Amino acid sequence: MKATDYTVIRSRRRSLELRLYPDSRIEVRVPLRASAREVEDFIASKSAWLQSRLKGQQQRPPQMPLQYCQGEEHLFLGQRYPLSLSRAARPTTALQQGSLCMLNPQPDNPERIAHQLDRWYRQQADGVFNQLIDRHFPFFAIRGHSRPQLRVRSMKSRWGSLSSLGYINLNLELIKTPLHSIEYVVIHELCHLEHMNHGPGFRALMSQCLPDWRDRKRELNEVLLR
Ligand SMILES: [Zn+2]
């Protein structure tokens, strides 16, 4: 692979990490002092994985921009639901009989529908994510941690993060993935209460909380959000 094919980002970190974005952009995140040779060797060691992932990306059908029109399918908790749009004075959104039913004063206006759907996703995300945090936090409370406060955010390159200021940030897009995937991300971030890295201690704690976390992680890495 040519050096021009990827971007190297140096930061205060211990390990090297390769990130492949949905637009096929490749980033290598490396410690400040990593040598060019180390970076090249790392990339070389990942090349088989990278080639297969890039091939997978190219095989996906090109994505059309969302239209927010009657019958268009949208994801919620890993399932696809067609939009059922009707006119009404007050905007309302609800899942009914396998459809995402939306009432709006202007059902033919894609911008209105997009905005209303985004609000609904955020409400759902807030409820579902908080429920999962509540379900799994007691284990961490016993270990002396305080419950982080949820912030639902739109993030480009990560599913979640835990801030030292007491926030658990979760990507809004997670609400489109299956519940067991969201649960994996929630537990991953809660484990950061105890370990701020992804070292052996972190992985042991993950296995204690969620024995099949590696399978869930793999599945989430391959999830399609459309
Ligand atoms: Zn992490």
Side-chain angles (χ1 to χ4, degrees):
M1 191 162 38
K2 298 188 296 288
T4 46
D5 289 336
Y6 55 87
T7 314
V8 177
I9 296 174
R10 291 178 185 273
S11 66
R12 288 181 180 276
R13 57 178 297 140
R14 286 190 190 158
S15 57
L16 293 89
E17 185 196 353
L18 194 62
R19 288 191 187 177
L20 172 63
Y21 292 102
D23 58 3
S24 299
R25 214 158 29 86
I26 301 163
E27 265 177 25
V28 200
R29 297 178 172 245
V30 306
L32 290 172
R33 291 183 194 177
S35 67
R37 179 68 192 272
E38 263 178 280
V39 176
E40 277 167 29
D41 287 352
F42 175 69
I43 302 280
S45 76
K46 296 282 181 186
S47 84
W49 173 85
L50 203 52
Q51 295 307 331
S52 78
R53 290 294 299 275
L54 282 168
K55 209 170 147 203
Q57 279 191 349
Q58 283 153 10
Q59 280 165 353
R60 289 180 194 171
Q63 292 192 340
M64 300 293 285
L66 287 167
Q67 310 285 317
Y68 298 95
C69 60
Q70 198 70 261
E72 184 179 60
E73 289 188 333
H74 288 256
L75 278 166
F76 176 63
L77 296 180
Q79 303 254 33
R80 289 175 192 284
Y81 296 95
L83 293 184
S84 163
L85 309 173
S86 321
R87 193 176 304 274
R90 224 170 69 87
T92 337
T93 309
L95 279 181
Q96 271 168 11
Q97 295 159 353
S99 291
L100 197 41
C101 299
M102 301 180 71
L103 305 179
N104 190 283
Q106 293 179 36
D108 302 326
N109 182 332
E111 275 175 34
R112 292 275 188 124
I113 297 300
H115 176 73
Q116 184 179 333
L117 190 57
D118 183 72
R119 282 194 54 180
W120 183 76
Y121 274 137
R122 281 177 195 274
Q123 283 164 2
Q124 300 302 314
D126 213 66
V128 170
F129 298 173
N130 265 318
Q131 256 177 22
L132 286 169
I133 296 168
D134 288 338
R135 185 185 304 168
H136 292 284
F137 182 68
F139 174 86
F140 296 89
I142 292 167
R143 301 166 80 97
H145 301 291
S146 348
R147 187 192 187 283
Q149 199 186 324
L150 171 66
R151 280 196 302 205
V152 177
R153 317 182 91 174
S154 297
M155 295 187 266
K156 283 233 150 52
S157 62
R158 55 209 306 197
W159 291 115
S161 65
L162 188 85
S163 90
S164 52
L165 300 170
Y167 291 102
I168 178 169
N169 302 308
L170 295 175
N171 194 330
L172 173 63
E173 295 288 291
L174 272 176
I175 198 64
K176 299 178 182 174
T177 73
L179 204 56
H180 61 263
S181 300
I182 310 175
E183 189 174 40
Y184 155 70
V185 177
V186 165
I187 293 174
H188 178 113
E189 299 311 334
L190 289 176
C191 284
H192 279 318
L193 288 168
E194 198 145 320
H195 300 280
M196 286 311 281
N197 52 45
H198 298 122
F202 174 87
R203 295 196 296 272
L205 193 59
M206 278 301 293
S207 298
Q208 194 181 339
C209 296
L210 199 65
D212 67 346
W213 67 271
R214 286 186 175 85
D215 295 334
R216 299 193 196 205
K217 179 181 180 181
R218 200 172 308 121
E219 190 186 333
L220 187 58
N221 278 335
E222 281 155 18
V223 79
L224 293 178
L225 290 173
R226 284 278 294 281

